[in-house]
Amino acid sequence: MITTIDHGAVRELRMSRPPANALSPELVAALSEALDRAPQEGVRAIVLSGLPGIFSAGLDVPYLLTLDREAIGRMWRSFYGLLHRLAASPVPVVAAITGHSPAGGAVLALFCDDRVMAEGDFRIGLNEVQVGIPIPTAIHRALVRLVGSYQAERLCVSSLLVPPAEALRLGLVEELAPPDQVVARAVERCEWLLKMPPRAMSRTREITRADLVRLVEEGLAAELDGLADMWFSEETQATLRAVMERLAKKKG
């Protein structure tokens, strides 16, 4: 589920779960393991990328709807563990957003150091409310960290999915690039960081990202039971199943 490509000291971790890189428990586990392993193997920076036209469509809702409460609890804990790995990574992680990035896909990018998005007819945003899922506090605060309180409120409450130019204007991403250059530009941004004195850069990352790490740790401690309750609420279940039915009809 993860394709590993080394670009010198920079390792690309390409999510490779067609058609949409939906975040199943297996993909979350594979990505977590790859993030742990890379620094141990001497990798000095990481690029997290997706498939052409799609970074990640977010949580694998059809599969998750089949799980019981205990399994859903494990999934949320694993997902928060993945976010913690991104936030606390000992090496820089740059998201190469290769296409659409709604919901959980956007969340992954929030917890990286930097974000490069493909130009084109793509969308990114936190549209959880639209599918019946309240935004978890830790994820909302991570968004506020990037775009400020008002824009975070606007994006979350209205479930807005914005095009690349708007994402750049808001500060949701730092750079746009042609689709075939997104990974290359993300690698270059990593290489720029690696030109810095390594101890100074590493320590400064630790200081400046400590608030992001705390957000996830506090979320793990306080939110997991509430997330499971939310998932099995009547409104959330009904909304998610209605969304799945509409998608099935479109495919049919």
Side-chain angles (χ1 to χ4, degrees):
M1 294 188 180
I2 305 293
T3 301
T4 299
I5 305 167
D6 286 332
H7 306 266
V10 180
R11 175 167 293 177
E12 179 186 354
L13 300 178
R14 181 179 298 169
M15 293 180 282
S16 303
R17 187 178 182 241
N21 281 336
L23 295 168
S24 65
E26 293 78 12
L27 179 55
V28 169
L31 188 51
S32 296
E33 193 276 334
L35 287 167
D36 287 344
R37 186 175 67 246
Q40 297 169 5
E41 295 180 349
V43 171
R44 296 181 59 209
I46 295 169
V47 167
L48 177 61
S49 68
L51 300 168
I54 183 78
F55 181 64
S56 171
L59 296 178
D60 188 348
V61 172
Y63 174 71
L64 297 183
L65 283 171
T66 70
L67 302 181
D68 61 17
R69 184 184 179 87
E70 183 178 349
I72 284 293
R74 288 197 300 270
M75 174 61 189
W76 278 113
R77 183 173 295 278
S78 296
F79 186 61
Y80 267 59
L82 173 57
L83 299 183
H84 189 272
R85 284 174 170 85
L86 289 169
S89 172
V91 301
V93 183
V94 175
I97 304 169
T98 49
H100 293 298
S101 188
V107 172
L108 292 183
L110 288 181
F111 286 84
C112 294
D113 292 58
D114 212 353
R115 289 145 289 274
V116 181
M117 185 173 183
E119 298 170 330
D121 188 18
F122 303 120
R123 295 293 185 272
I124 185 172
L126 300 173
N127 62 325
E128 280 83 352
V129 167
Q130 191 173 41
V131 296
I133 301 174
I135 294 288
T137 301
I139 293 170
H140 166 253
R141 289 177 178 171
L143 180 63
V144 169
R145 187 176 182 268
L146 283 187
V147 305
S149 296
Y150 171 70
Q151 293 298 350
E153 176 188 345
R154 173 174 167 264
L155 289 168
C156 291
V157 175
S158 299
S159 281
L160 293 180
L161 295 175
V162 299
E166 178 72 356
L168 180 66
R169 186 187 72 79
L170 292 173
L172 190 54
V173 302
E174 282 73 30
E175 182 180 343
L176 304 181
D180 63 349
Q181 294 297 312
V182 173
V183 170
R185 284 297 303 143
V187 170
E188 288 173 6
R189 292 181 82 91
C190 287
E191 291 172 341
W192 171 255
L193 290 174
L194 297 183
K195 292 177 181 177
M196 305 293 176
R199 287 186 180 180
M201 188 270 287
S202 179
R203 177 56 181 151
T204 301
R205 280 187 70 250
E206 185 179 350
I207 292 168
T208 57
R209 293 176 65 77
D211 62 328
L212 192 59
V213 175
R214 282 196 301 272
L215 290 180
V216 190
E217 292 174 346
E218 290 169 1
L220 274 169
E223 293 190 296
L224 284 180
D225 287 342
L227 288 170
D229 291 340
M230 170 276 298
W231 183 265
F232 286 103
S233 71
E234 183 177 345
E235 178 182 274
T236 297
Q237 287 286 304
T239 305
L240 288 171
R241 293 184 187 282
V243 170
M244 293 303 100
E245 288 174 8
R246 288 198 298 270
L247 291 174
K249 287 179 181 179
K250 286 183 180 179
K251 291 179 180 178

